[in-house]
Short mmCIF file of all heavy atoms in Angstrom, two decimals:
data_model
loop_
_atom_site.label_atom_id
_atom_site.label_comp_id
_atom_site.label_asym_id
_atom_site.label_seq_id
_atom_site.Cartn_x
_atom_site.Cartn_y
_atom_site.Cartn_z
N TRP A 703 -2.73 -7.44 48.34
CA TRP A 703 -3.18 -6.87 49.58
C TRP A 703 -3.78 -7.91 50.50
O TRP A 703 -4.03 -7.58 51.70
CB TRP A 703 -4.21 -5.75 49.32
CG TRP A 703 -3.53 -4.53 48.79
CD1 TRP A 703 -3.26 -4.17 47.53
CD2 TRP A 703 -3.07 -3.48 49.65
NE1 TRP A 703 -2.62 -2.98 47.58
CE2 TRP A 703 -2.49 -2.53 48.83
CE3 TRP A 703 -3.09 -3.18 51.00
CZ2 TRP A 703 -1.94 -1.37 49.38
CZ3 TRP A 703 -2.57 -2.02 51.52
CH2 TRP A 703 -1.94 -1.14 50.65
N SER A 704 -4.04 -9.14 50.12
CA SER A 704 -4.57 -10.08 50.95
C SER A 704 -3.79 -10.41 52.22
O SER A 704 -4.22 -10.41 53.37
CB SER A 704 -4.90 -11.41 50.19
OG SER A 704 -3.72 -11.95 49.70
N ARG A 705 -2.50 -10.59 51.94
CA ARG A 705 -1.54 -10.89 53.13
C ARG A 705 -1.40 -9.63 53.98
O ARG A 705 -1.30 -9.65 55.19
CB ARG A 705 -0.22 -11.41 52.56
CG ARG A 705 0.80 -11.74 53.71
CD ARG A 705 0.17 -12.74 54.66
NE ARG A 705 1.04 -13.05 55.79
CZ ARG A 705 0.75 -13.69 56.85
NH1 ARG A 705 -0.53 -14.24 56.88
NH2 ARG A 705 1.49 -13.92 57.91
N GLU A 706 -1.45 -8.44 53.39
CA GLU A 706 -1.28 -7.21 54.12
C GLU A 706 -2.48 -7.05 55.14
O GLU A 706 -2.23 -6.79 56.34
CB GLU A 706 -1.32 -6.02 53.17
CG GLU A 706 -1.28 -4.62 53.82
CD GLU A 706 0.13 -4.30 54.46
OE1 GLU A 706 1.01 -5.03 54.16
OE2 GLU A 706 0.27 -3.23 55.08
N PHE A 707 -3.65 -7.39 54.73
CA PHE A 707 -4.82 -7.31 55.67
C PHE A 707 -4.81 -8.41 56.69
O PHE A 707 -5.30 -8.21 57.78
CB PHE A 707 -6.09 -7.30 54.88
CG PHE A 707 -6.40 -5.82 54.36
CD1 PHE A 707 -6.16 -5.48 53.02
CD2 PHE A 707 -6.99 -4.85 55.14
CE1 PHE A 707 -6.44 -4.18 52.51
CE2 PHE A 707 -7.16 -3.61 54.72
CZ PHE A 707 -6.96 -3.31 53.38
N ASP A 708 -4.38 -9.62 56.25
CA ASP A 708 -4.31 -10.68 57.19
C ASP A 708 -3.40 -10.26 58.34
O ASP A 708 -3.68 -10.46 59.52
CB ASP A 708 -3.73 -11.95 56.49
CG ASP A 708 -4.77 -12.56 55.68
OD1 ASP A 708 -5.92 -12.28 55.82
OD2 ASP A 708 -4.30 -13.46 54.78
N ASN A 709 -2.23 -9.73 57.97
CA ASN A 709 -1.25 -9.13 59.00
C ASN A 709 -1.86 -8.13 59.94
O ASN A 709 -1.68 -8.15 61.22
CB ASN A 709 -0.06 -8.69 58.41
CG ASN A 709 0.82 -9.72 57.76
OD1 ASN A 709 0.70 -10.88 58.10
ND2 ASN A 709 1.66 -9.37 56.81
N GLN A 710 -2.54 -7.29 59.26
CA GLN A 710 -3.27 -6.17 60.05
C GLN A 710 -4.34 -6.69 61.06
O GLN A 710 -4.47 -6.24 62.17
CB GLN A 710 -3.90 -5.21 59.16
CG GLN A 710 -2.77 -4.30 58.34
CD GLN A 710 -1.80 -3.65 59.26
OE1 GLN A 710 -2.15 -2.99 60.14
NE2 GLN A 710 -0.53 -3.68 58.87
N LEU A 711 -5.05 -7.69 60.55
CA LEU A 711 -6.07 -8.34 61.45
C LEU A 711 -5.44 -9.08 62.65
O LEU A 711 -5.93 -9.00 63.71
CB LEU A 711 -7.00 -9.21 60.60
CG LEU A 711 -7.91 -8.58 59.62
CD1 LEU A 711 -8.63 -9.55 58.71
CD2 LEU A 711 -8.98 -7.69 60.32
N GLU A 712 -4.40 -9.74 62.38
CA GLU A 712 -3.64 -10.49 63.45
C GLU A 712 -3.13 -9.50 64.41
O GLU A 712 -3.20 -9.75 65.61
CB GLU A 712 -2.54 -11.29 62.80
CG GLU A 712 -3.11 -12.46 61.91
CD GLU A 712 -1.89 -13.14 61.16
OE1 GLU A 712 -0.70 -12.78 61.47
OE2 GLU A 712 -2.15 -14.02 60.32
N LEU A 713 -2.53 -8.36 63.87
CA LEU A 713 -1.95 -7.47 64.87
C LEU A 713 -3.09 -6.76 65.78
O LEU A 713 -2.94 -6.54 66.88
CB LEU A 713 -1.22 -6.34 64.06
CG LEU A 713 0.16 -6.74 63.51
CD1 LEU A 713 0.76 -5.65 62.65
CD2 LEU A 713 1.17 -7.06 64.64
N ALA A 714 -4.26 -6.46 65.03
CA ALA A 714 -5.30 -5.78 65.79
C ALA A 714 -5.87 -6.79 66.90
O ALA A 714 -6.06 -6.26 68.02
CB ALA A 714 -6.42 -5.42 64.81
N ALA A 715 -5.94 -8.02 66.59
CA ALA A 715 -6.38 -9.03 67.54
C ALA A 715 -5.38 -9.12 68.69
O ALA A 715 -5.73 -9.27 69.84
CB ALA A 715 -6.65 -10.35 66.89
N ALA A 716 -4.18 -9.11 68.32
CA ALA A 716 -3.11 -9.34 69.31
C ALA A 716 -3.08 -8.16 70.26
O ALA A 716 -2.81 -8.29 71.50
CB ALA A 716 -1.73 -9.54 68.72
N ARG A 717 -3.32 -6.94 69.79
CA ARG A 717 -3.28 -5.74 70.63
C ARG A 717 -4.40 -5.77 71.66
O ARG A 717 -4.25 -5.33 72.80
CB ARG A 717 -3.42 -4.48 69.77
CG ARG A 717 -2.20 -4.18 68.90
CD ARG A 717 -2.30 -2.78 68.24
NE ARG A 717 -1.23 -2.58 67.38
CZ ARG A 717 -1.30 -2.64 66.01
NH1 ARG A 717 -2.47 -2.98 65.44
NH2 ARG A 717 -0.33 -2.48 65.26
N LYS A 718 -5.61 -6.37 71.31
CA LYS A 718 -6.63 -6.52 72.23
C LYS A 718 -6.34 -7.47 73.26
O LYS A 718 -6.94 -7.48 74.40
CB LYS A 718 -7.94 -6.93 71.46
CG LYS A 718 -8.44 -5.84 70.49
CD LYS A 718 -9.73 -6.31 69.71
CE LYS A 718 -10.21 -5.23 68.76
NZ LYS A 718 -11.42 -5.69 68.16
N LEU A 719 -5.43 -8.40 73.06
CA LEU A 719 -5.03 -9.45 74.13
C LEU A 719 -4.10 -8.94 75.08
O LEU A 719 -3.87 -9.56 76.13
CB LEU A 719 -4.44 -10.68 73.40
CG LEU A 719 -5.45 -11.47 72.45
CD1 LEU A 719 -4.71 -12.58 71.81
CD2 LEU A 719 -6.60 -12.09 73.39
N VAL A 720 -3.44 -7.83 74.89
CA VAL A 720 -2.34 -7.31 75.84
C VAL A 720 -2.95 -7.12 77.27
O VAL A 720 -2.36 -7.64 78.15
CB VAL A 720 -1.79 -6.05 75.25
CG1 VAL A 720 -0.80 -5.41 76.32
CG2 VAL A 720 -0.98 -6.23 74.02
N ASP A 721 -4.13 -6.55 77.39
CA ASP A 721 -4.68 -6.36 78.63
C ASP A 721 -5.08 -7.60 79.33
O ASP A 721 -4.89 -7.81 80.60
CB ASP A 721 -5.94 -5.40 78.53
CG ASP A 721 -5.58 -3.96 78.19
OD1 ASP A 721 -4.39 -3.53 78.51
OD2 ASP A 721 -6.41 -3.29 77.71
N LEU A 722 -5.55 -8.58 78.59
CA LEU A 722 -5.91 -9.83 79.01
C LEU A 722 -4.71 -10.62 79.56
O LEU A 722 -4.66 -11.27 80.55
CB LEU A 722 -6.58 -10.74 78.00
CG LEU A 722 -7.96 -10.22 77.62
CD1 LEU A 722 -8.67 -11.11 76.52
CD2 LEU A 722 -8.92 -10.17 78.78
N LEU A 723 -3.54 -10.42 78.86
CA LEU A 723 -2.36 -11.04 79.20
C LEU A 723 -1.88 -10.49 80.52
O LEU A 723 -1.43 -11.22 81.51
CB LEU A 723 -1.19 -10.85 78.20
CG LEU A 723 0.14 -11.45 78.43
CD1 LEU A 723 0.01 -13.03 78.28
CD2 LEU A 723 1.16 -10.96 77.36
N LYS A 724 -2.01 -9.16 80.82
CA LYS A 724 -1.51 -8.56 82.05
C LYS A 724 -2.44 -9.13 83.14
O LYS A 724 -1.93 -9.41 84.36
CB LYS A 724 -1.65 -7.08 81.95
CG LYS A 724 -0.70 -6.37 80.95
CD LYS A 724 -0.84 -4.97 80.80
CE LYS A 724 0.10 -4.38 79.91
NZ LYS A 724 -0.21 -2.84 79.72
N ALA A 725 -3.73 -9.30 82.92
CA ALA A 725 -4.58 -9.76 83.95
C ALA A 725 -4.34 -11.24 84.27
O ALA A 725 -4.31 -11.65 85.44
CB ALA A 725 -6.09 -9.60 83.56
N ARG A 726 -3.99 -12.05 83.21
CA ARG A 726 -3.67 -13.41 83.39
C ARG A 726 -2.40 -13.60 84.23
O ARG A 726 -2.25 -14.58 85.01
CB ARG A 726 -3.43 -14.12 82.05
CG ARG A 726 -3.28 -15.60 82.05
CD ARG A 726 -4.31 -16.29 82.80
NE ARG A 726 -4.10 -17.78 82.81
CZ ARG A 726 -4.85 -18.60 83.53
NH1 ARG A 726 -5.98 -18.20 84.21
NH2 ARG A 726 -4.59 -19.97 83.53
N ARG A 727 -1.53 -12.62 84.20
CA ARG A 727 -0.26 -12.74 84.99
C ARG A 727 -0.57 -12.81 86.51
O ARG A 727 0.23 -13.34 87.20
CB ARG A 727 0.64 -11.60 84.59
CG ARG A 727 2.07 -11.66 85.31
CD ARG A 727 2.95 -10.51 84.85
NE ARG A 727 3.50 -10.79 83.57
CZ ARG A 727 4.58 -11.57 83.42
NH1 ARG A 727 5.08 -12.16 84.34
NH2 ARG A 727 5.04 -11.72 82.10
#
Side-chain angles (χ1 to χ4, degrees):
W703 283 89
S704 59
R705 183 55 186 166
E706 177 76 5
F707 278 101
D708 287 344
N709 290 338
Q710 294 302 315
L711 290 173
E712 292 172 8
L713 286 171
R717 290 190 186 100
K718 294 180 180 181
L719 290 175
V720 171
D721 290 338
L722 295 177
L723 183 68
K724 294 177 181 177
R726 183 60 179 171
R727 182 176 285 280

